[in-house]
Amino acid sequence: MTLDCPLPHPASDRVLLAHGEGGRLMRRLIRDVLLAALDNAHLRPLGDAALLPPFDGPVVTTTDCYVVSPLFFPGGDIGSLAVHGTVNDLAVSGAEPLYLTLGLIVEEGLPLETLRALVRSLGAAAEACGVPVVAGDTKVVPRGAADGLFVCTTGLGQLRPGVDLGCHRIRPGDRVLVSGTLGDHGLAVLSAREGLGLGDELRSDSAPLTGLVASLFDAGLDVRFLRDPTRGGVAAVLHEVAEATGLSIAIDEAALPLSEAGRGACEILGLDPLFVANEGKVVVFVSPAGADAALACLRRHPLGRDAARIGTVGEGPAGVLVRGPLGVPRVLDEPAGAPLPRIC
Amino acid sequence: MTLDCPLPHPASDRVLLAHGEGGRLMRRLIRDVLLAALDNAHLRPLGDAALLPPFDGPVVTTTDCYVVSPLFFPGGDIGSLAVHGTVNDLAVSGAEPLYLTLGLIVEEGLPLETLRALVRSLGAAAEACGVPVVAGDTKVVPRGAADGLFVCTTGLGQLRPGVDLGCHRIRPGDRVLVSGTLGDHGLAVLSAREGLGLGDELRSDSAPLTGLVASLFDAGLDVRFLRDPTRGGVAAVLHEVAEATGLSIAIDEAALPLSEAGRGACEILGLDPLFVANEGKVVVFVSPAGADAALACLRRHPLGRDAARIGTVGEGPAGVLVRGPLGVPRVLDEPAGAPLPRIC
């Protein structure tokens, strides 16, 4: 029976079940923790729904759940990660991110200070990206029914005029670029979670891609397709494109940009950086004529300093080929799962 | 260390960690379980974000996380509940619900058949409400890191032209109506979870309010404010309105509509039905002149058969008063939490 409803200690420094139950404590949590960090004119009325001004043209939406463990990791936390991940899904779809909604599932007993720090980080990231959190919901589940905190974000944006991105635009001969070093996010989270002590330089690349992507559009380059290589890494993007287009993609292993720390960690752990998650990188498919300009454009941006051309699209059959150091191509298999659970 | 990635059994009948990891198994899960039940033209491309046609006027959005336990209960399940709850938040905000996004957090080991049944139920409810699921995300967490399944939905709608709802429109003299019997959802979930055996008649009222609410607007009635009394029940709505308006609200206890089963369950468990959650009811604040017509309008709808006028708005000070059977008013306190965790 769970009918008992002991009066929660008003000065408790932990999240209580009662914080999620629609009463006074919940209203205090919303005001003191959530609204304190996320306040804006759309959220402030705390109605059942947020009323947003009309969008200009087509609406773009995306949704994500974040279950990363640990909640804080070198280079970020679940709060900033949730904002960046959702904003990036909009950006690579050719949309200008405008708004976020926020769902929190909190485990009873989470220190209020932890929740406060994570919501503050989320609020700061949202503000930096210019995407106010306009609606939210908080649920508290008993100890053991969740693991600390799960965050669910939905992003709303409007399509940039004239943008047409998609696998349908990819042609044999197109070049494949990445905007920087691979695998830093997955490796940093893994190292933090497992206490691997792989060095302080291993930091998540979690960052908003809006500006970097906008610079490609603003330069008028013939970008065919963009994707942020998160779960499953760059390999998952390549497999998806190969399957959707029926084309082959040849990757040059020597061209893959890796941080010093990332290269070392992959060697020690026996991981292929093509399969490790990133949270601040973009894979760019671009016409042959636009490839050099696109690469230069990426490199001019602080988030694209280490951008590289890593491959070329070829005729079918569909598949991904990696040319190793000796120039011999091997087929890059799609794994059933991935070796790194709970990295986002 | 969690680096081991044993090859998941291809014929496993349970959700595996690998189902959430961006590889082949995840794509199969998305195709065979999610797309099979939710397919529509917006979702089918399975891109990073969904592209939606321009909205007509202001955009309304709301988000909810569902953590109800058990996942199936008399009258519904977490799938249909998530749709109804989100659609209802849009409806009571004066919006026409158009689209949903869906986030799933699945505990490793959940039977695939359970997930399939819940997603099917969600899909059927979404179809019945005319709100396609246009974007989604699925995460799998290890056994013990979640409890079966959590569902996060975001709703997108457009504001009905000419609608102006809000606490700012409530005046002394306004009447308070409810669309039907109180507490059925919370009591049904509680009874199912705790095995209370309170009778087969105790069923959740989970239902979409779109049509019922539309009938009020279509009748041209001067509706001031609408709210679906979920977590915290009707009492939470009344306290919220009293605080926002600075007005008092007098409720007539004898007028509260209760199902036979609900009345019995509340008596046995010592619960006040004003505090118990509903998932298919609406509280209506309406001008005195429009009250009779609004009540008649509600009663003409299948979901409003048991509608009743339960109270009146008075001058301040802010507060909620309940007149009991002997006519003596008592102050209805706002609880710190609520006695029923995980009912939505």
Side-chain angles (χ1 to χ4, degrees), chain A residues 195-219:
Chain A
L196 299 183
L198 290 175
D200 294 345
E201 296 83 45
L202 215 51
R203 293 176 65 81
S204 167
D205 59 335
S206 179
L209 293 168
T210 329
L212 182 69
V213 165
S215 73
L216 289 172
F217 293 129
D218 293 344

Side-chain angles (χ1 to χ4, degrees), chain B residues 13-15 106-118:
Chain B
D13 58 357
R14 293 183 177 267
V15 176
V106 190
E107 184 187 12
E108 177 192 20
L110 184 75
L112 268 172
E113 206 38 65
T114 302
L115 182 63
R116 206 184 302 270
L118 291 169

Side-chain angles (χ1 to χ4, degrees), chain A residues 283-308:
Chain A
V283 179
V284 181
F285 285 73
V286 60
S287 66
D292 287 346
L295 189 59
C297 183
L298 289 173
R299 286 182 173 164
R300 272 195 298 274
H301 193 280
L303 291 177
R305 273 195 322 264
D306 300 316

Side-chain angles (χ1 to χ4, degrees), chain A residues 84-97:
Chain A
H84 296 157
T86 299
V87 160
N88 290 350
D89 282 349
L90 292 176
V92 300
S93 303
E96 179 195 355

